[in-house]
Amino acid sequence: QMTQSPSTLSASVGDRVTITCRASQSITTSLAWYQQKPGKAPHVLIYKASNLEGGVPSRFSGSGSGTEFTLTISSLQPDDSATFYCQQYDTYPWTFGQGTKVEIK
Amino acid sequence: EMQLVESGGLVVHPGGSLRLSCAVSGFTLNDYTMYWVRQAPGKGLEWVSLINWDGDDTYYSDSVKARFTISRDNSKKSLYLEMNSLRTEDTALYYCARGAVPRTWGGYFDLWGPGTLVTVSS
């Protein structure tokens, strides 16, 4: 089971934003982060906990291992308004966090 | 351009059946494990099923086990999801997605379709 926090956050352009994802048991580094905008499919930002997917802006970064993980946006941009999900792929069944909605103030 | 396009979503009565399809283009389907992921209206993402690259292995979430069947036809560049005994709680946007690493399973999803909407309602 994956638990994300917070469920929503509101921040200003330029702010540093951190989202946390906790696993109920160790998943080593088998964790991905996705961004989903309204009416669109999710797309991957980070895989293997800290690897940036090709084409993703460098303001996104991931860290963690075992049971605790973070997604950081170093300088929030207007285009980052979206819902973010973590997903573990260490153990069947593959599970997602409940999502964090990021709003721009 | 690599692309996935789902089809087959409809309004169906509880207890009914439906077959979803996912058409693949721009890459070699038989190199990849493929997945179905769903999203109920206003809710989060839920993994539903996977089929490995040659179709020998399939897995299902507990919520759909024994009711849904995943299959693929690599020659037709297509993935399928046969859905039986549908329930109102199966109402969702169904996405097909590609496993990121060729010829492995248990990975993250690097390519998604736009989804097809299944509504189960009387």
Side-chain angles (χ1 to χ4, degrees):
Chain A
Q1 187 172 350
M2 307 301 293
T3 304
Q4 264 181 257
S5 60
S7 54
T8 61
L9 72 87
S10 182
S12 301
V13 172
D15 282 354
R16 184 181 182 87
V17 167
T18 298
I19 299 168
T20 298
C21 184
R22 288 187 174 87
S24 56
Q25 62 188 58
S26 176
I27 57 169
T28 61
T29 56
S30 299
L31 185 104
W33 289 96
Y34 300 86
Q35 179 188 52
Q36 185 180 33
K37 296 185 178 180
K40 299 292 186 182
H43 72 94
V44 63
L45 302 172
I46 302 286
Y47 64 94
K48 207 172 181 182
S50 61
N51 291 269
L52 194 68
E53 180 77 352
V56 174
S58 59
R59 64 181 179 273
F60 292 96
S61 64
S63 65
S65 66
T67 62
E68 189 140 342
F69 302 86
T70 58
L71 173 71
T72 299
I73 308 173
S74 61
S75 178
L76 191 68
Q77 299 301 304
D79 188 52
D80 299 337
S81 179
T83 300
F84 295 84
Y85 294 93
C86 63
Q87 178 232 338
Q88 69 83 15
Y89 51 94
D90 179 75
T91 308
Y92 163 88
W94 291 257
T95 45
F96 292 88
Q98 75 274 26
T100 296
K101 186 173 183 179
V102 173
E103 299 171 341
I104 310 295
K105 282 182 185 174
Chain B
E1 181 190 2
M2 297 183 295
Q3 204 170 11
L4 304 172
V5 179
E6 304 90 341
S7 61
L10 285 174
V11 179
V12 62
H13 291 308
S17 298
L18 207 54
R19 189 195 202 204
L20 305 183
S21 300
C22 174
V24 168
S25 59
F27 66 94
T28 304
L29 177 60
N30 44 313
D31 281 342
Y32 292 89
T33 293
M34 298 297 293
Y35 300 79
W36 288 97
V37 176
R38 68 184 180 183
Q39 187 169 35
K43 302 296 183 183
L45 301 166
E46 179 189 13
W47 168 77
V48 172
S49 183
L50 78 82
I51 185 167
N52 77 329
W53 55 96
D54 59 10
D56 280 352
D57 288 319
T58 58
Y59 286 84
Y60 302 90
S61 67
D62 285 347
S63 59
V64 307
K65 202 175 293 182
R67 299 188 299 122
F68 290 11
T69 303
I70 191 172
S71 62
R72 64 195 293 159
D73 187 332
N74 290 336
S75 67
K76 294 184 177 179
K77 299 183 180 181
S78 292
L79 174 73
Y80 306 102
L81 187 68
E82 191 78 37
M83 309 163 70
N84 296 314
S85 302
L86 282 161
R87 305 167 179 167
T88 55
E89 56 264 36
D90 295 319
T91 294
L93 188 62
Y94 283 74
Y95 296 103
C96 67
R98 187 182 78 170
V101 182
R103 301 203 167 249
T104 64
W105 61 272
Y108 65 98
F109 315 133
D110 70 338
L111 184 65
W112 297 65
T116 187
L117 183 62
V118 173
T119 303
V120 184
S121 174
S122 54

